[in-house]
Amino acid sequence: CNLLLADEINRATPRTQAAMLECMEERQVSVDGTTYPMSEAFMVMATQNPVESYGTFPLPEAQVDRFFMRLKMGYMTREEEAAVMARKPSAKIVEELGSVVGFEETKALRAAIKDIRVSEEIKNYILDIIWATRKENRLVNGVSTRGTQALYKACQVTAALEGRDYVIPEDVKAEAVAVLAHRVASASDSLTDAEKYLTELVEKVVVPLEDKNE
């Protein structure tokens, strides 16, 4: 498959979790001594239940760091929940789904994202945020270099979605928490605290002024 959905991934055994590291980082799978390359479009989407922890296996930091970003579902609106309550079975909906874009189209889009310009001021702004996480006393560990690269790419994608071929500070602020929060840990070992501290930290970092000559 090109999209692997790992539902409640923290209920998978450590051995299964470890096997995922190879496909997420090396883009390959090894079975019985034979290595199989993954499709270029392959990606992993995983869920975790933030409430139940009994019988689960927390993911090691090395694996968590390989997830591009962490998003919160939250509750649906009353209108959305009413629509879900009365809709047809999920299996039926999946059967009726059609293709929206093809592999070649997504490949072209991924290639185009690399051309989104990132000025030196924006690069330094990203680094200022990253280095601030490493100096923050309320955080046990700061963001890794993999996190730096992820934030850089996320900003390029955000700029493209906004119809721009260049990144602005607002792109960085918009994506920083979603891309970095799961890569840091607070002394209380609380995901909520880590996200709160990171949000406060991002607000404190000086935002670069726009260069009107660019």
Side-chain angles (χ1 to χ4, degrees):
C1 64
N2 286 334
L3 173 60
L4 174 63
L5 173 59
D7 191 28
E8 295 200 20
I9 190 175
N10 53 331
R11 292 195 181 281
T13 63
R15 184 173 182 178
T16 300
Q17 292 177 7
M20 286 190 64
L21 290 176
E22 183 180 16
C23 69
M24 293 175 71
E25 182 65 18
E26 305 300 330
R27 317 295 293 182
Q28 64 184 32
V29 172
S30 297
V31 181
D32 294 332
T34 303
T35 299
Y36 303 91
M38 308 294 294
S39 165
E40 183 183 345
F42 177 79
M43 66 178 293
V44 174
M45 182 181 294
T47 67
Q48 279 196 111
N49 189 327
V51 180
E52 290 188 60
S53 58
Y54 183 77
T56 61
F57 304 90
L59 275 64
E61 294 178 6
Q63 183 169 344
V64 172
D65 198 24
R66 283 168 172 76
F67 282 98
F68 192 74
M69 61 171 55
R70 184 185 70 195
L71 303 174
K72 290 184 177 180
M73 296 291 290
Y75 288 113
M76 291 180 282
T77 64
R78 188 181 182 90
E79 292 73 19
E80 290 170 338
E81 195 161 4
V84 170
M85 181 172 58
R87 76 182 183 187
K88 64 183 71 174
S90 298
K92 186 67 175 177
I93 295 175
V94 172
E95 290 176 1
E96 298 174 353
L97 286 178
S99 176
V100 178
V101 294
F103 175 73
E104 292 302 322
E105 292 172 289
T106 58
K107 183 178 180 180
L109 285 172
R110 289 197 299 274
I113 291 298
K114 298 177 183 178
D115 295 328
I116 301 296
R117 292 185 291 111
V118 183
S119 67
E120 289 301 317
E121 289 78 12
I122 297 297
K123 291 178 183 177
N124 284 320
Y125 179 42
I126 291 175
L127 288 173
D128 286 343
I129 292 176
I130 299 299
W131 278 80
T133 67
R134 299 169 183 173
K135 298 177 181 178
E136 174 58 60
N137 294 328
R138 294 176 296 178
L139 298 178
V140 176
N141 62 285
V143 175
S144 67
T145 301
R146 183 178 284 107
T148 306
Q149 295 172 318
L151 181 55
Y152 181 89
K153 294 176 182 177
C155 293
Q156 288 179 303
V157 172
T158 301
L161 291 175
E162 293 294 330
R164 286 182 272 101
D165 63 354
Y166 58 92
V167 174
I168 60 177
E170 285 72 15
D171 297 330
V172 181
K173 296 187 73 172
E175 302 300 338
V177 175
V179 175
L180 305 179
H182 64 290
R183 304 173 192 273
V184 297
S186 66
S188 64
D189 198 29
S190 166
L191 294 178
T192 302
D193 285 347
E195 187 172 306
K196 174 186 174 183
Y197 299 153
L198 182 59
T199 301
E200 295 174 354
L201 184 151
V202 172
E203 290 299 323
K204 292 180 181 178
V205 175
V206 179
V207 178
L209 298 176
E210 293 185 22
D211 187 349
K212 296 182 179 180
N213 295 321
E214 288 193 7

